[in-house]
Amino acid sequence: MDVRGKLALVTGGSDGIGREIALQLQAAGAQVIVTGRSAEKLQAMAALGFGTIAGDLSTPAGVDAVVDGVAGKPLALLVNNAGVGSEYELDDPASLASAAECIRTNLDAPVALCTRLLPTLRAQPEAAIVNVTSGLAIAPRAGGSIYCATKAGLRSYTQAIRHLLKDSNVRVIEALPPVVETNMTAARAGKKMSAHDCAAEIVHGIRTGKREVNAGMVKLLQFVHSISPALARRIMIEF
């Protein structure tokens, strides 16, 4: 996909991987709108020439704000990147609220945005949907059961809509990052890929028409999982 001159929407684009994706798409010639929850971070992105939309994607109002924010614009690239972790504990009913927020943000919102923005994407000569999942969609980690479940669900959804859109002008891409150095993973020890390097692989995948972008060690993880799912899970736990 030639991103020059095309309008892209990057959810969760004011921080972490999303911010790096936005910066690199802009550097490649795209016009980019980012969404986020922090007014301060959105203001900083606006100062760099980005369009901005404030909205919490764990809420219907936040999804509405994003859809309304691009209404009437020639959107050609949707990057569903926004995501949150969860403090869910299996034996703690009080943590179900955290689980629900994670599911709404990581799974419900991308599904809603794909559905509601598809007519606009279809109206463009060339368009793409990029859903950012995770290596954890392949090899879940016990300590992040809800987060892993949302990413596995988004992975399955992405594969299904890729088939549904195979004869259309809308390409569907799944990006699978490993553990990346972001605010979400700040408390986690071990090796982490930089957000810049992860985003570079994703943007390269968009520009070269890949169906899946297995960033960093996820390409190896895919291979290991095909041989031994248990070993793949162990790798993700230790990585």
Side-chain angles (χ1 to χ4, degrees), residues 174-227:
E174 180 184 7
L176 297 95
V179 180
V180 177
E181 184 67 62
T182 64
N183 289 333
M184 186 187 298
T185 65
R188 185 170 175 182
K191 298 178 182 178
K192 301 175 189 177
M193 189 178 194
S194 74
H196 176 276
D197 290 350
C198 181
E201 293 198 28
I202 294 171
V203 172
H204 177 72
I206 294 169
R207 298 178 72 184
T208 56
K210 289 188 177 181
R211 288 160 50 101
E212 285 191 6
V213 180
N214 296 302
M217 69 158 287
V218 175
K219 184 174 183 179
L220 173 61
L221 178 69
Q222 288 265 34
F223 173 73
V224 173
H225 188 266
S226 69
I227 300 170

Side-chain angles (χ1 to χ4, degrees), residues 49-134:
F50 293 93
T52 63
I53 302 171
D56 180 352
L57 290 178
S58 72
T59 69
V63 173
D64 288 346
V66 173
V67 173
D68 292 345
V70 296
K73 296 180 171 64
L75 183 69
L77 176 60
L78 168 62
V79 182
N80 281 310
N81 163 81
V84 297
S86 173
E87 297 179 357
Y88 169 76
E89 296 290 343
L90 180 59
D91 57 357
D92 181 11
S95 68
L96 287 171
S98 176
E101 180 184 13
C102 184
I103 293 167
R104 290 193 302 266
T105 305
N106 298 4
L107 183 56
D108 292 352
V111 170
L113 292 176
C114 286
T115 302
R116 295 176 65 179
L117 297 177
L118 184 59
T120 301
L121 295 169
R122 277 181 161 152
Q124 311 312 313
E126 181 184 28
I129 294 168
V130 181
N131 288 333
V132 180
T133 64
S134 170

Side-chain angles (χ1 to χ4, degrees), residues 18-42:
R19 182 178 187 275
E20 289 294 334
I21 292 173
L23 288 167
Q24 293 179 38
L25 285 173
Q26 184 189 62
Q31 301 174 32
V32 185
I33 299 172
V34 301
T35 80
R37 295 179 295 180
S38 166
E40 183 179 356
K41 290 177 181 178
L42 288 174

